[in-house]
Amino acid sequence: MSTKTIHYPWYKKEDTDAFFALFQNNLANFVIIAVTMLGMGFPTSIVFGQVIPGAAVAVIVGNLYYAYMANRLAQKEGRTDVTALSYGISTPVMFVFLFGVLLPALTLTGDPDLAWKIALAACFISGLIEVLVSFTGSWVRNNIPRPAMLGALAGVALTFVAGEMLFNTFSMPVVGLVALAIILIGFIGKIALPFNIPPSLFAIVIGTVLAFSLGYTDTAQISEGLAHIGFYPILPTLAAFEGFNYLFGALIGLLAVILPITIYNAIETMNNVEAMAVAGDNYDVRECQAVDGLGTMIGTLFGGMFPTTVYIATVGSKWMGAGRGYSILNALVFALAAMFGFIAAMSSIIPIAAIAPILVFVGISMVTTAYQASNSKYFIAVSIAMLPYLANYVMTRFNNDASDVVAGISEGIVPLGEGAMFTGIILGAITVYIIDHQFMRAAAFSLLGALLSFIGFMHAPALSINAATDFAIGYLIVALIFIYCSFKQTNAKHQGEHLSESKKIA
């Protein structure tokens, strides 16, 4: 341990490349947020006046704190080669909040302002949960099967992210197909693009140029976009606390989405911090999870509604030789971009068909990751955990009442889609433990399914006592079957041991 203060530079030339890598990642998320919310019908006053500045606050807070942590580690270990952790809006979680929280809130309320407040409350709770998770160590990681959790999230990715965005890709055929080809060539084919431009940026540029050249988009959009440049003050708001009234009322079912995605986010932070430890910079995982949670909560107090995380790209920044300067510069640039409307300008000029292929790739990547991060024997568990969100998509993405939409198809679609995240995790976990012949654990998740059904978190439109009786009874019977299987397995084991002992004696 160092006993004297060392000169750990505020900025060095290696920070420049790392800054552009991190900036491009966060900028893409900000533009996607803005374009998607505008496409959903949210007014610019909420998107550019509240959400973008608030999300910027979360990015600013976290980046500055991680720069502080890097300096603390450098002084502690007497090193000048410490790299600050990369930080920003969690991309997978962002999509889940857009399509799993904000969109259902808008669909159910029909009020963009109220939907935003509900999403703020959900984001605040997500941040609080991550702070609490930071005290629990790896308990959650060890007790919820990863294939089940990743499979449920993959269900969101397949339907609301990849599927929905593929529809938008084909809304402007030439623009969408060309942009999609660029994304696939760059990310899957690993082909270097002209001037080594990142594939996502190249797809956006080419797609936007094609949209204007072919008349898909009117040139008036350019002047409209530039008109967004102005001053957007970063101001605190108590809107999140207004949203609590609704989140814990008619929309309490959204907690079924918030809890697992937050746990996923906390685990990803844990994994990324551990990866940095392997690379040479050993940060406190619990402190990082707490910082992510607090950064998220602070962002909601300024209108932002997207959880933040430590990026896996941190290791890339370490390889570049970056220090803390790139984190500080990222914070400053996003403060200026959010306050002076540069993100608003880009969001108005860039058509959704140029952005959508990026989201198709991200959604499919999330599905792929769910399988890659799981042993092949659990693939069936991942698959079954995804299926409830197919029902959820059908019942929520049409304008008519859900029961009318699916009339004549199957009476099981609506109850399967209600509380889809919990249902996916329960079914996935049960399948994992059947595969592993851990029948008592399968019974435990069946009992949890019965409880969640009984109080309305699953298979019911709202919380109430005795909400989904038939489903609760079904899960209880299944639990008894698993208990029987466990006793049968134990007896068979004992009989085998007894027979073995008898042969030894003989």
Side-chain angles (χ1 to χ4, degrees):
M1 182 181 293
S2 176
T3 57
K4 65 178 182 179
T5 301
I6 63 167
H7 176 64
Y8 180 55
W10 286 96
Y11 196 89
K12 53 184 178 178
K13 64 179 182 179
E14 290 85 358
D15 282 315
T16 303
D17 287 336
F19 160 73
F20 279 111
L22 179 59
F23 176 74
Q24 187 256 336
N25 197 332
N26 268 313
L27 179 63
N29 284 342
F30 273 71
V31 172
I32 288 166
I33 288 167
V35 171
T36 304
M37 289 187 67
L38 292 172
M40 289 180 183
F42 283 86
T44 57
S45 59
I46 290 179
V47 178
F48 303 130
Q50 299 283 355
V51 175
I52 296 301
V57 168
V59 170
I60 292 165
V61 169
N63 274 284
L64 293 179
Y65 190 87
Y66 282 128
Y68 156 76
M69 281 184 70
N71 180 61
R72 192 177 66 192
L73 182 62
Q75 300 299 334
K76 176 184 177 182
E77 299 187 354
R79 296 190 292 121
T80 59
D81 62 345
V82 173
T83 300
L85 295 169
S86 297
Y87 171 88
I89 294 172
S90 172
T91 303
V93 179
M94 175 187 75
F95 290 122
V96 173
F97 260 76
L98 279 171
F99 300 107
V101 176
L102 185 63
L103 184 60
L106 178 63
T107 301
L108 292 171
T109 64
D111 183 344
D113 185 65
L114 183 54
W116 164 63
K117 291 175 180 177
I118 292 168
L120 278 181
C123 188
F124 187 90
I125 290 175
S126 177
L128 179 60
I129 291 172
E130 182 150 13
V131 171
L132 296 176
V133 167
S134 71
F135 295 102
T136 65
S138 58
W139 185 90
V140 172
R141 188 180 192 180
N142 294 333
N143 286 276
I144 297 182
R146 195 165 195 181
M149 186 161 59
L150 291 181
L153 295 174
V156 180
L158 180 65
T159 52
F160 288 95
V161 183
E164 182 86 359
M165 289 301 108
L166 191 60
F167 301 155
N168 283 314
T169 296
F170 280 79
S171 65
M172 295 183 183
V174 177
V175 173
L177 283 170
V178 171
L180 180 61
I182 291 171
I183 292 297
L184 296 178
I185 289 170
F187 285 119
I188 297 178
K190 308 294 183 184
I191 303 298
L193 299 174
F195 309 107
N196 287 320
I197 298 176
S200 56
L201 179 59
F202 193 59
I204 290 173
V205 171
I206 297 299
T208 302
V209 170
L210 284 173
F212 284 103
S213 301
L214 299 175
Y216 285 118
T217 305
D218 196 288
T219 53
Q221 287 291 112
I222 297 176
S223 56
E224 182 181 327
L226 295 176
H228 285 306
I229 295 178
F231 181 62
Y232 297 84
I234 296 178
L235 301 173
T237 175
L238 298 177
F241 299 100
E242 296 179 44
F244 281 121
N245 295 328
Y246 299 92
L247 184 62
F248 287 102
L251 291 169
I252 196 165
L254 290 178
L255 292 176
V257 176
I258 298 167
L259 182 61
I261 193 61
T262 302
I263 294 170
Y264 167 85
N265 202 33
I267 290 173
E268 287 307 298
T269 289
M270 183 186 302
N271 291 341
N272 295 338
V273 173
E274 287 175 355
M276 271 300 279
V278 172
D281 293 338
N282 195 7
Y283 291 99
D284 186 335
V285 171
R286 293 171 299 177
E287 182 179 2
C288 293
Q289 289 174 329
V291 169
D292 291 353
L294 288 171
T296 297
M297 293 166 72
I298 292 171
T300 64
L301 299 180
F302 289 85
M305 37 167 268
F306 297 97
T308 53
T309 189
V310 171
Y311 282 168
I312 188 66
T314 302
V315 175
S317 299
K318 181 69 177 176
W319 291 340
M320 293 177 189
R324 57 174 167 170
Y326 84 104
S327 289
I328 297 171
L329 184 59
N330 195 68
L332 295 176
V333 168
F334 267 95
L336 295 174
M339 285 194 295
F340 292 101
F342 297 119
I343 295 171
M346 287 184 285
S347 302
S348 295
I349 295 171
I350 300 170
I352 185 66
I355 292 281
I358 301 172
L359 310 191
V360 172
F361 173 74
V362 170
I364 294 301
S365 296
M366 291 171 68
V367 175
T368 303
T369 298
Y371 287 101
Q372 289 178 338
S374 304
N375 188 296
S376 59
K377 69 177 181 177
Y378 298 127
F379 283 0
I380 190 170
V382 173
S383 300
I384 199 169
M386 293 169 59
L387 294 178
Y389 260 97
L390 292 176
N392 186 271
Y393 184 86
V394 171
M395 63 171 282
T396 59
R397 294 305 288 127
F398 297 93
N399 292 325
N400 297 324
D401 181 77
S403 57
D404 294 334
V405 171
V406 300
I409 302 176
S410 172
E411 294 181 358
I413 291 177
V414 172
L416 179 60
E418 292 166 333
M421 185 66 76
F422 273 144
T423 305
I425 290 176
I426 294 293
L427 294 179
I430 288 172
T431 307
V432 165
Y433 291 130
I434 290 174
I435 292 169
D436 290 342
H437 284 198
Q438 296 183 18
F439 295 111
M440 291 306 290
R441 289 198 171 195
F445 272 90
S446 299
L447 291 173
L448 180 59
L451 175 63
L452 294 177
S453 301
F454 185 74
I455 60 179
F457 273 106
M458 293 162 49
H459 311 308
L463 284 184
S464 65
I465 301 299
N466 208 19
T469 308
D470 289 350
F471 287 95
I473 293 172
Y475 283 114
L476 282 174
I477 294 173
V478 168
L480 292 175
I481 293 172
F482 289 138
I483 292 171
Y484 167 77
C485 291
S486 178
F487 280 120
K488 185 177 180 181
Q489 180 178 254
T490 301
N491 289 336
K493 182 180 178 181
H494 288 329
Q495 288 176 2
E497 291 174 351
H498 180 70
L499 182 60
S500 177
E501 288 295 326
S502 299
K503 289 181 178 179
K504 288 180 181 179
I505 293 173

